[in-house]
Amino acid sequence: MEDLFRITKPSARMASLPYGDNQDYLDEEMQWLNGCIALQLAMNSIEDENDKARVYQRYARVLEDWRQHIRSRSKISMDQGVYLALPYLVDTFMLSELEMQAIMVCLAMELDRKYEAAYEVLQEDNGLRLPTPEFIARLISRSEEQWREVIELFQPNRALPRFFLRKDLKPVRQQGSYIGKPVQLDARMVIFLSGNPFLADSMIDFCHLYLGEEELPPLMGNEAVQTRLRNWMKKRFEQNLSEPVSLIVSLYGKPGIGKRLHLIHLANHIGEYLMFADCEKLVRKGRDLSEWLTELFREAAIHRAMLVLLHFREALEEANMLHRLPDLLDEIAALNYVVFLLSEKPCLPFDENRRIMLEIELPDLTDRERLETWRKAAEAHAVDPAVDWESLSTRFPFTPGQIVKAIHMAEELARWDDPEADNPVIHWHHLINACYKQLNHKLEQKAKRLKPKHSFDDLILPEPQKQKLIHACNHIRYKHTVYEKWGFNRKLSYGTGISMLFSGPPGTGKTMAAEIMAKELDMEIYKVDTAQIISKYVGETEKNLQEIFKEAESSYAILFFDEADAIFGKRSEVKDAHDKYANTEVAFLLQKMEEYRGISILATNFLQNIDEAFLRRFNYIIRFPFPDEAERERLWRHIFPEETPLQELDYAFLAQKLRLSGGQIKNVAITAAFLAGGAGESVGMKHILKAYQYELDKYNRPVDRKELGDYAALLDEG
């Protein structure tokens, strides 16, 4: 074995030259280690104490020459930018030279199996091929004081056992104190020390590094927060230049608000790197966040990056571990490192020991910031100049992340429409569709989504009422101008949306009018059956309404409450406790309508049932009268599609004699079409009158044959 471990003096000629690479450096470290082993072998073979002392001094001088030689070449190499993994880690973790030598003893056996055999022989224990702290101290120390220093390095709270050694190593036999227990380098450290500087394979799935970029994506909103954060971090760093610092910063806000981007801008400004670790992914893989903290910190330290724990609070909530947040903060504080916690909600309320030094909210964008973000995000794309960015930014209260995703999706929709174009033009309808695809709500569980097909030309309504509907649409179109540019948002704490009341008999066009507004404004519309949300249980109605408006807030949809009489009824006069509570339900509904930033519409058949005190809370009240004769004729002339084969119809007669609402005329027209289709005929008067008879049957009303005059005979035809 002595032949394998010989020691020679280092080359004086090489002392002033840098190492060629990491392996070149490791070769010389193992030359030094060979000398340490050769010394132990020599001491074991010499019995005379004087000879031992003489040999020991000769070996010790050569070994010190090697240390000086390695120190010199390492410094030259690092100064010239040659990457040496072990000196890099020594500097990163602020290790002593004895710690570096102890690491080298453990690393050598991972690189060359001859060291396993040597360790077994020198420890005089058959099968014990891993070094123990006692053996490492004997191998690398040159005095009793150094021996004690080396032994102390393996205490549980020191850097070697915390960051460099395996924690799951099972002893082959019962050992006494920790100095006799075998130790082995953690696999991650072996890979890194061997010259692989990349992110650990075990962390690729849930970690990524930010190591600086030449061109950063622009900040989108909350620039004032960024400026204050930079100044704060700069002062904190200046106050802690000489020693490690425990610095925990919590940053919270909605998903997509820009938390990561703000940290990237911060790191770029102060010249630091970042390592992002997704806590939710860790938890979903069944891993204990507490057990991974040390490894995450070690990986961040290896790359000299500040550690960022993404979805920190959400991960704990998902794992039902929120109660452990104070303990985790204690563990993070013990790392003496800069750690950022990113969450949707604040962590400070759970910080019992006040470990979080600073907690910052990234608030929602203002209308002005959102408008600017849309324009910034669109700069790199071909967009139709006619796109109204102000309307888009007012309509969708998006975060920067949602805006960027919407722009990219709109481009894909444009490419679908024009597959030949290299740079397709994004139009308004692409953006609207893309925006609605960003929304994540559950409104369809509470309401029915309508698909508008009509336009204002299809709506038969007196001109004053139609003008009110147009003005209501403009209320939404020009919100940005009135509230933002003209300053009305400073006058109002809430109520920037529109609340409307449609009243009139059934079938007079209330639902159609709501659909037309949705189509004119390119908005989704959801029809809420008010009777379904009313509950006899106290508080249940309010709960249902709360859920509907909460889901609608992110969608900016039109909420159409049909059959509102179910909640209003005749309740202006309070006679008992039930009436009093019912009025509370009405007040709650109207309050939520006022707070809602979109459009909410109530439809009722009986306006007289609503207390006048409630009426003032609507922006628009539109009455839908029963159509007069002229309006009924217009309805009859427009009800049949162009493709429908028609006989000669007496529109004037139908309008005069068939006193029907618009909804009833639609029902009669459709039934007549099926009657004609079944008979293989064009739609004629006999089909319409037969369908009219069926319509009256619904209400148990007979047809007045005298009113029909000569046309009455058509009812008797098959």
Side-chain angles (χ1 to χ4, degrees):
M1 180 167 286
E2 288 82 355
D3 293 338
L4 294 175
F5 300 99
R6 294 183 178 278
I7 187 167
T8 59
K9 289 186 176 182
S11 168
R13 180 179 61 84
M14 300 295 291
S16 60
L17 298 177
Y19 288 111
D21 54 25
N22 189 64
Q23 187 58 51
D24 191 11
Y25 163 79
L26 289 177
D27 288 343
E28 289 203 339
E29 283 284 9
M30 286 193 285
Q31 286 288 339
W32 162 81
L33 181 58
N34 289 345
C36 294
I37 294 172
L39 171 58
Q40 293 297 314
L41 291 172
M43 293 296 99
N44 290 346
S45 64
I46 300 173
E47 294 184 1
D48 185 80
E49 292 299 325
N50 291 329
D51 289 343
K52 276 188 177 183
R54 188 170 53 256
V55 171
Y56 184 88
Q57 290 298 326
R58 178 166 57 85
Y59 271 91
R61 284 194 297 271
V62 176
L63 289 173
E64 180 57 31
D65 288 344
W66 268 109
R67 292 312 322 157
Q68 290 287 359
H69 175 84
I70 291 172
R71 288 190 203 104
S72 174
R73 293 196 71 186
S74 295
K75 184 177 186 308
I76 294 170
S77 301
M78 300 290 272
D79 289 344
Q80 295 188 17
V82 179
Y83 171 70
L84 306 177
L86 182 53
Y88 171 89
L89 288 184
V90 167
D91 183 54
T92 298
F93 289 94
M94 293 182 288
L95 304 178
S96 67
E97 183 154 0
L98 284 175
E99 285 174 305
M100 179 173 71
Q101 293 171 19
I103 291 171
M104 196 61 223
V105 174
C106 296
L107 177 63
M109 59 167 290
E110 307 289 346
L111 303 179
D112 191 332
R113 296 199 64 181
K114 72 178 184 180
Y115 293 97
E116 289 184 351
Y119 296 168
E120 183 180 22
V121 169
L122 291 175
Q123 293 182 107
E124 299 179 349
D125 190 335
N126 188 31
L128 183 58
R129 298 192 164 200
L130 296 176
T132 65
E134 188 278 332
F135 168 67
I136 295 172
R138 179 157 45 93
L139 196 62
I140 68 175
S141 62
R142 301 291 168 255
S143 66
E144 286 293 326
E145 183 180 354
Q146 274 194 348
W147 188 92
R148 286 191 293 271
E149 283 184 46
V150 175
I151 292 298
E152 188 68 24
L153 297 178
F154 291 89
Q155 291 281 2
N157 62 332
R158 298 296 293 269
L160 283 183
R162 284 186 71 192
F163 304 122
F164 287 83
L165 302 180
R166 284 182 59 181
K167 297 176 178 59
D168 59 347
L169 188 63
K170 296 180 180 179
V172 294
R173 60 180 66 84
Q174 283 292 109
Q175 281 90 14
S177 65
Y178 75 93
I179 68 172
K181 294 180 180 179
V183 296
Q184 186 175 16
L185 277 184
D186 184 87
R188 170 63 184 132
M189 304 312 284
V190 173
I191 293 172
F192 189 87
L193 289 166
S194 300
N196 183 345
F198 303 107
L199 189 67
D201 290 344
S202 61
M203 296 189 178
I204 289 176
D205 288 343
F206 54 87
C207 291
H208 71 274
L209 290 166
Y210 167 74
L211 303 177
E213 297 175 6
E214 292 184 5
E215 292 187 13
L216 290 177
L219 276 179
M220 297 182 178
N222 290 306
E223 283 85 355
V225 175
Q226 175 70 199
T227 301
R228 294 176 66 183
L229 183 57
R230 288 178 180 182
N231 293 336
W232 187 85
M233 286 293 296
K234 183 179 178 182
K235 289 181 180 178
R236 296 304 306 174
F237 280 177
E238 289 172 351
Q239 293 170 1
N240 298 278
L241 291 175
S242 59
E243 59 183 19
V245 58
S246 173
L247 191 61
I248 304 177
V249 178
S250 171
L251 190 63
Y252 71 95
K254 287 181 178 179
I257 196 64
K259 297 185 287 291
R260 293 189 219 190
L261 184 58
H262 270 271
L263 288 189
I264 288 174
H265 274 262
L266 171 66
N268 189 69
H269 178 76
I270 61 180
E272 296 286 340
Y273 298 157
L274 296 170
M275 189 182 89
F276 295 94
D278 192 327
C279 296
E280 280 190 328
K281 285 187 178 179
L282 261 174
V283 168
R284 287 170 191 160
K285 289 178 178 289
R287 297 173 180 175
D288 190 318
L289 185 56
S290 177
E291 293 177 1
W292 272 80
L293 275 176
T294 299
E295 291 187 47
L296 290 171
F297 162 72
R298 180 182 68 187
E299 194 69 22
I302 283 175
H303 298 284
R304 297 184 177 179
M306 298 186 291
L307 179 59
V308 183
L309 299 179
L310 302 172
H311 311 122
F312 180 68
R313 176 171 165 171
E314 291 73 42
L316 296 180
E317 289 178 338
E318 184 173 330
N320 294 319
M321 291 170 51
L322 198 55
H323 63 282
R324 289 191 56 193
L325 192 146
D327 295 334
L328 285 173
L329 291 177
D330 286 342
E331 293 177 34
I332 293 171
L335 296 173
N336 287 327
Y337 205 60
V338 180
V339 179
F340 291 93
L341 312 176
L342 269 55
S343 307
E344 294 179 26
K345 294 181 284 189
C347 295
L348 202 56
F350 301 90
D351 184 12
E352 297 173 357
N353 298 322
R354 291 296 178 261
R355 296 297 192 180
I356 296 174
M357 190 166 290
L358 179 68
E359 183 159 75
I360 310 164
E361 180 187 11
L362 282 183
D364 292 346
L365 301 182
T366 64
D367 287 346
R368 193 181 302 278
E369 286 177 324
R370 195 178 304 112
L371 174 60
E372 186 60 29
T373 300
W374 274 109
R375 287 174 171 160
K376 282 182 182 178
E379 286 176 355
H381 304 267
V383 182
D384 181 357
V387 166
D388 185 350
W389 295 114
E390 292 183 352
S391 175
L392 204 64
S393 65
T394 302
R395 182 177 304 185
F396 297 99
F398 281 175
T399 63
Q402 287 175 303
I403 289 172
V404 171
K405 289 179 181 177
I407 288 285
H408 285 296
M409 184 171 287
E411 185 175 60
E412 292 307 314
L413 293 173
R415 183 168 284 112
W416 177 263
D417 288 345
D418 189 4
E420 302 300 322
D422 294 330
N423 195 19
V425 176
I426 300 172
H427 294 283
W428 174 259
H429 65 277
H430 297 134
L431 286 165
I432 287 293
N433 289 337
C435 285
Y436 276 114
K437 292 182 187 299
Q438 304 307 309
L439 301 176
N440 183 21
H441 60 75
K442 302 173 183 176
L443 263 179
E444 293 199 35
Q445 295 180 4
K446 300 287 183 181
K448 178 183 179 182
R449 183 181 173 185
L450 304 179
K451 296 182 179 180
K453 298 179 181 179
H454 301 286
S455 66
F456 273 116
D457 291 337
D458 300 317
L459 185 62
I460 308 301
L461 198 64
E463 193 59 28
Q465 281 87 333
K466 188 176 288 189
Q467 284 299 314
K468 272 192 180 181
L469 286 172
I470 293 172
H471 293 158
C473 291
N474 290 338
H475 193 132
I476 290 294
R477 286 195 180 101
Y478 302 113
K479 276 181 67 173
H480 180 80
T481 299
V482 173
Y483 290 121
E484 187 69 25
K485 291 185 177 179
W486 294 359
F488 271 82
N489 57 347
R490 297 193 301 273
K491 299 288 185 180
L492 303 171
S493 57
Y494 66 90
T496 61
I498 302 177
S499 56
M500 305 180 70
L501 179 65
F502 290 176
S503 70
T508 50
K510 298 187 291 294
T511 302
M512 179 189 285
E515 291 183 22
I516 289 170
M517 289 187 69
K519 186 175 182 181
E520 286 290 314
L521 295 169
D522 290 310
M523 296 174 70
E524 290 184 336
I525 179 170
Y526 286 85
K527 182 179 179 180
V528 182
D529 187 349
T530 315
Q532 296 299 314
I533 62 173
I534 301 300
S535 174
K536 63 181 179 180
Y537 298 106
V538 174
E540 197 67 23
T541 300
E542 287 90 336
K543 179 182 176 182
N544 291 335
L545 290 170
Q546 180 75 30
E547 291 178 358
I548 289 171
F549 279 99
K550 181 180 178 181
E551 293 296 333
E553 194 61 43
S554 65
S555 72
Y556 200 61
I558 295 177
L559 292 179
F560 180 62
F561 292 86
D562 198 18
E563 304 294 339
D565 306 292
I567 192 171
F568 284 109
K570 294 185 178 181
R571 289 167 178 166
S572 58
E573 183 181 351
V574 178
K575 296 181 179 179
D576 54 30
H578 183 270
D579 289 338
K580 182 178 180 180
Y581 181 68
N583 269 344
T584 303
E585 293 176 348
V586 175
F588 183 81
L589 171 59
L590 296 179
Q591 175 192 333
K592 302 309 294 183
M593 290 177 68
E594 280 186 309
E595 294 173 355
Y596 183 47
R597 63 188 305 275
I599 300 176
S600 48
I601 303 171
L602 286 182
T604 177
N605 298 333
F606 304 102
L607 183 60
Q608 66 273 17
N609 288 350
I610 302 177
D611 191 332
E612 288 188 8
F614 293 145
L615 296 181
R616 65 172 179 80
R617 303 177 73 170
F618 292 98
N619 296 104
Y620 297 90
I621 296 177
I622 300 177
R623 293 168 175 81
F624 288 73
F626 194 88
D628 61 22
E629 186 176 327
E631 289 167 344
R632 290 199 296 272
E633 184 170 342
R634 288 172 57 199
L635 285 167
W636 279 114
R637 290 184 181 276
H638 287 85
I639 198 64
F640 292 104
E642 293 180 1
E643 299 86 348
T644 306
L646 299 175
Q647 300 176 21
E648 186 175 347
L649 301 180
D650 190 343
Y651 291 112
F653 174 85
L654 294 174
Q656 181 184 24
K657 300 299 183 181
L658 277 56
R659 296 177 178 82
L660 302 173
S661 67
Q664 291 172 317
I665 289 174
K666 178 194 72 173
N667 292 341
V668 170
I670 292 173
T671 304
F674 277 103
L675 291 173
E681 301 170 347
S682 300
V683 178
M685 290 293 290
K686 70 173 182 178
H687 306 112
I688 291 176
L689 293 176
K690 195 66 175 178
Y692 171 62
Q693 184 180 38
Y694 292 164
E695 184 69 17
L696 292 185
D697 285 344
K698 297 178 184 178
Y699 310 100
N700 199 26
R701 286 168 49 194
V703 175
D704 187 346
R705 300 176 73 93
K706 291 181 180 179
E707 281 284 317
L708 300 184
D710 294 340
Y711 286 113
L714 297 177
L715 293 174
D716 301 324
E717 295 186 14

